[in-house]
Amino acid sequence: MTNANPHRPIRGGAKAPAALPKRGGVGLKPEHFRHILDAQPDIGFFEVHAENYMVAGGPFHHYLERIRADHALSIHGVGLSIGGEDPLDELHLDRLAALLARYQPESFSEHLAWSSHGGAFFNDLLPAPYHAGTLARVCAHIDRVQERLGRRMLLENPATYVEFEASTMTETDFIAEVVRRTGCGLLLDVNNAYVSCTNHHRDARAYLRALPLAAVGEIHLAGHAREVDAAGAPLLIDSHGAPVAEAVWALYDFALSLVGPQPTLIERDNDLPAFAVLAAVARQAEIVMARHAKLEVAA
Amino acid sequence: MSAAFADALLRPDAPCPAGLKTWNGSDPAQRFAVYRNNVIVSLVDALADSYPVVQALVGEDFFRAMAAEFARGNPPRSPVLAWYGAGFADFVADFPPAAGLPYLADVARLEWLRVEAWHAADADPVPLAEVGACLADEAALPALRLTLHPALRLLRSAHPVVSLWAAHQAEDVSAALGAVDFADAEAALVVREGLDVAILHIEAGAAEFVDKLLRGAALGEAAQASGPFDLPAALGLLLRSGAVVAMTPSRRAP
Amino acid sequence: MQKALTAASFAIAFGTAMTLAAAPVAAQDKMADKEKCYGVALKGKNDCKAGAGTSCAGSSKMDYQGNAWSMVPKGTCEKTASPTSPTGFGQLKEFKEKKA
């Protein structure tokens, strides 16, 4: 893992935890808890949504504790609303700090999006305009998160369906500036990049090249659904309910040509298949990684 | 910006927020609908996960429409969705299209207690040897205070909620439902046994007894003040379910 | 009111309770809690997906436009002999929202 900005150490600085292995990982779903404990699969890492484990006890913690004991872990938040206009929810940050203290994950990540406004939580990753005001808020929020958690976080690029007239920056410039100012890392969601670039008619490879790639600490791969907008143009939906599309595998291959092998998560939240299916996709990612590892050595 | 966006998310008749654009000049309203729909679908899915028997009783279409109505008026106040839908039973009780199913709100209450029990704090049951040791001092037994498991919940209903709930776990739901007597009032004890939450039908007197124990009454006090019930069976149930986590002698006689 | 309970009756109750608690599972099933039941497991409710097919016409999950006020419950309640419903079963007449 590389630090994008060595001049700006993370405040509150506990020593950096071990990094995720540069292997394929799988999103941990309760439907697979028992199978994973019984079968002990060889998986690079598991990733959980932080909010699902913000409960006192019971089966979720029972299984996560046991699975975590044998595997690397990434905790992925979906509720901080880092892109929101509301102040950060300090109570939520406390819950997150407690969860991280309990499980000591190798990685913590969140989204460039908002999900709360006026005290209501919308349970969706909503888009924000890219301008100086949002930039200042997002950076202040990430500074606070990294300070409170005592660690560097990764920020995930979003899948979006609309753009804002008020935007004055491109998404890639916005993300690059956030990384530069806060020292956070980048969780490169290749499916999100593909979905957004299709939805906004951009060149996905140029989009990837314009990101602060030195900050990449993890990659996400997922499936999307295909619809059309009011003019009949393709509108891709980040559904996490289908196999990873061929075009996304190709973009992943291209991304690795730029950043080399990276911890790569297979995300699946809808129409969940058997665990073995997801494990096979994680191995597929490792095959692509192995090819790029050889290229790195050759170069 | 977020205020207009947020407002339009929850109101299906609200216009698409201003200031959105699309690369091809297509109507942004259709793209905005992805967000609007995802918010409601995801919240309704969360409610469906917590209230499967309510959904089975009214059917998926009715449930999703009712849950969407709830979600629009009561979006979550916390990002922790495990706790979303605590007020759903009260909403169901006052939802006129469901008024013909007077038991529905209590079934929802029971399912909510199951959610609470599922995620409640862990605690080890008191070892049977410790229970045995308490028996040595027979005179002190009525003054014992039982600490019950943090996951334990109790529901007393004027409807046959446990039978209705249990019928939906049966292989032949129709046959099981046919056997339910709607004149029955039932009490439910919700316990977490290991990693599963069980729902048990207990007699009215036993429910009173457990309720008093939960309020901190000593054994003798709680049993005396409750209607008739089978004390050994009730204690056996609590011990066997791992629902007793501590037994504390108290000096004061009941 | 429960009939008067002596300390001895608690000792007997506990003794019996412990026998019940220590009984093998097969025997337990025949005892007090014949209604005991476990439901389906709960899922994790937080995730970061958008529902598939959520945006456009033809989607089965286009919930934001559903109108609960004109719907009738049509689930297992139709199989319940509900004393409160006019048909004797759980079916309901279509509810018309009253607007003032």
Side-chain angles (χ1 to χ4, degrees):
Chain A
M1 197 154 30
T2 50
N3 192 330
N5 185 356
H7 306 296
R8 183 168 176 143
I10 308 308
R11 282 164 292 171
K15 79 175 162 71
L20 291 175
K22 292 182 174 177
R23 291 194 53 195
V26 173
L28 181 61
K29 307 300 282 185
E31 292 89 332
H32 296 148
F33 280 160
R34 281 174 206 258
H35 170 83
I36 292 164
L37 278 188
D38 293 346
Q40 293 289 322
D42 177 27
I43 290 291
F45 65 100
F46 284 103
E47 183 163 289
V48 295
H49 294 125
E51 284 70 15
N52 286 333
Y53 296 84
M54 292 179 177
V55 294
F60 280 39
H61 285 297
H62 172 92
Y63 284 110
L64 183 56
E65 262 180 12
R66 281 155 185 79
I67 291 168
R68 198 283 177 269
D70 299 327
H71 294 92
L73 179 70
S74 162
I75 291 189
H76 187 50
V78 295
L80 266 182
S81 201
I82 279 174
E85 288 174 11
D86 283 359
L88 270 193
D89 181 344
E90 285 289 330
L91 183 64
H92 197 61
L93 209 43
D94 288 345
R95 291 186 201 111
L96 210 45
L99 191 70
L100 266 52
R102 178 167 179 177
Y103 289 102
Q104 299 285 320
E106 280 81 358
S107 176
F108 169 70
S109 49
E110 252 283 358
H111 297 83
L112 175 55
W114 60 278
S115 49
S116 297
H117 185 81
F121 175 68
F122 296 98
N123 194 35
D124 196 12
L125 298 165
L126 301 161
Y130 298 129
H131 55 48
T134 310
L135 183 64
R137 266 199 311 275
V138 166
C139 289
H141 287 166
I142 291 177
D143 282 345
R144 174 62 190 143
V145 170
Q146 296 189 137
E147 176 187 60
R148 176 69 181 86
L149 302 180
R151 66 187 294 159
R152 183 183 189 224
M153 62 162 276
L154 306 181
L155 185 70
E156 179 179 331
N157 57 296
T160 59
Y161 311 113
V162 296
E163 294 186 292
F164 294 88
E165 283 164 4
S167 287
T168 57
M169 308 168 74
T170 63
E171 186 167 285
T172 48
D173 285 351
F174 187 93
I175 291 172
E177 190 56 21
V178 169
V179 166
R180 195 186 68 77
R181 289 193 195 178
T182 66
C184 76
L186 177 60
L187 195 176
L188 173 58
D189 190 314
V190 175
N191 183 60
N192 285 358
Y194 184 78
V195 163
S196 292
C197 287
T198 303
N199 291 347
H200 309 309
H201 204 58
R202 292 209 177 83
D203 178 350
R205 291 183 173 215
Y207 174 94
L208 291 192
R209 272 194 223 98
L211 284 172
L213 293 174
V216 171
E218 185 185 342
I219 290 180
H220 275 181
L221 290 176
H224 56 253
R226 181 172 279 272
E227 301 197 6
V228 290
D229 73 4
L235 180 65
L236 304 185
I237 313 288
D238 182 32
S239 65
H240 295 187
V244 178
E246 280 308 316
V248 173
W249 278 114
L251 192 59
Y252 175 62
D253 194 37
F254 176 74
L256 293 198
S257 76
L258 302 175
V259 299
Q262 295 292 339
T264 300
L265 180 80
I266 309 306
E267 291 185 289
R268 187 72 178 256
D269 293 312
N270 272 332
D271 296 329
L272 198 66
F275 182 78
V277 174
L278 299 178
V281 184
R283 277 195 297 279
Q284 204 177 330
E286 288 179 350
I287 291 168
V288 182
M289 274 188 248
R291 200 162 62 232
H292 286 282
K294 282 188 200 125
L295 291 175
E296 270 189 347
V297 171
Chain B
M1 182 62 236
S2 304
F5 204 103
D7 178 62
L9 286 171
L10 293 180
R11 289 199 297 122
D13 52 338
C16 175
L20 302 182
K21 66 174 186 181
T22 59
W23 68 273
N24 56 0
S26 66
D27 183 0
Q30 184 162 347
R31 287 161 173 259
F32 178 73
V34 176
Y35 295 109
R36 176 137 69 184
N37 208 46
N38 191 44
V39 168
I40 294 299
V41 169
S42 70
L43 295 179
V44 169
D45 283 349
L47 293 168
D49 190 51
S50 290
Y51 296 98
V53 175
V54 172
Q55 173 165 309
L57 278 163
V58 299
E60 190 179 354
D61 289 350
F62 186 92
F63 180 86
R64 294 194 74 88
M66 176 166 73
E69 194 74 17
F70 172 79
R72 278 192 286 268
N74 308 271
R77 309 302 294 178
S78 157
V80 183
L81 279 192
W83 303 126
Y84 182 55
F88 189 57
D90 287 344
F91 174 87
V92 168
D94 293 334
F95 189 59
L101 307 175
Y103 50 77
L104 195 63
D106 273 2
V107 173
R109 286 191 179 96
L110 182 57
E111 293 203 283
W112 182 253
L113 296 184
R114 183 171 175 265
V115 171
E116 288 191 339
W118 194 268
H119 297 301
D122 301 315
D124 291 327
V126 65
L128 282 186
E130 203 175 303
V131 183
C134 285
L135 298 184
D137 186 1
E138 190 177 294
L141 286 178
L144 270 186
R145 284 175 205 278
L146 306 189
T147 306
L148 301 181
H149 196 285
L152 182 131
R153 296 291 185 279
L154 186 68
L155 178 69
R156 288 185 281 174
S157 172
H159 306 284
V161 277
V162 184
S163 300
L164 277 168
W165 189 87
H168 287 85
Q169 319 306 320
E171 270 181 36
D172 185 346
V173 176
S174 297
L177 277 174
V180 176
D181 183 348
F182 282 80
D184 280 349
E186 288 183 346
L189 189 67
V190 182
V191 292
R192 198 166 75 213
E193 293 185 335
L195 297 173
D196 281 314
V197 174
I199 293 184
L200 304 93
H201 182 196
I202 58 170
E203 358 165 34
E208 280 183 70
F209 172 64
V210 172
D211 185 47
K212 289 180 170 57
L213 292 181
L214 284 169
R215 291 164 197 275
L219 261 186
E221 224 182 303
Q224 297 283 5
S226 301
F229 71 102
D230 183 341
L231 179 65
L235 287 174
L237 195 68
L238 291 174
L239 288 174
R240 183 147 33 88
S241 307
V244 181
V245 297
M247 299 175 70
T248 325
S250 63
R251 291 205 176 77
R252 210 158 41 84
Chain C
M1 280 286 283
Q2 186 82 339
K3 65 176 188 274
L5 288 164
T6 62
S9 61
F10 279 103
I12 294 163
F14 263 115
T16 314
M18 286 177 66
T19 316
L20 292 174
V25 174
Q28 287 178 13
D29 287 345
K30 293 179 188 139
M31 291 184 301
D33 46 334
K34 52 184 178 294
E35 292 276 9
K36 181 184 216 162
C37 238
Y38 303 93
V40 294
L42 295 175
K43 294 179 188 150
K45 294 179 174 66
N46 284 98
D47 58 35
C48 52
K49 65 166 198 288
T54 58
S55 67
C56 303
S59 162
S60 61
K61 283 193 168 180
M62 218 171 154
D63 281 313
Y64 74 92
Q65 290 177 331
N67 183 2
W69 297 92
S70 63
M71 293 177 78
V72 177
K74 279 186 179 151
T76 55
C77 65
E78 294 183 296
K79 300 187 174 72
T80 62
S82 170
T84 56
S85 116
T87 59
F89 287 84
Q91 296 114 332
L92 296 174
K93 288 185 183 145
E94 186 170 313
F95 179 85
K96 300 290 184 197
E97 186 179 8
K98 288 188 189 76
K99 285 194 169 140

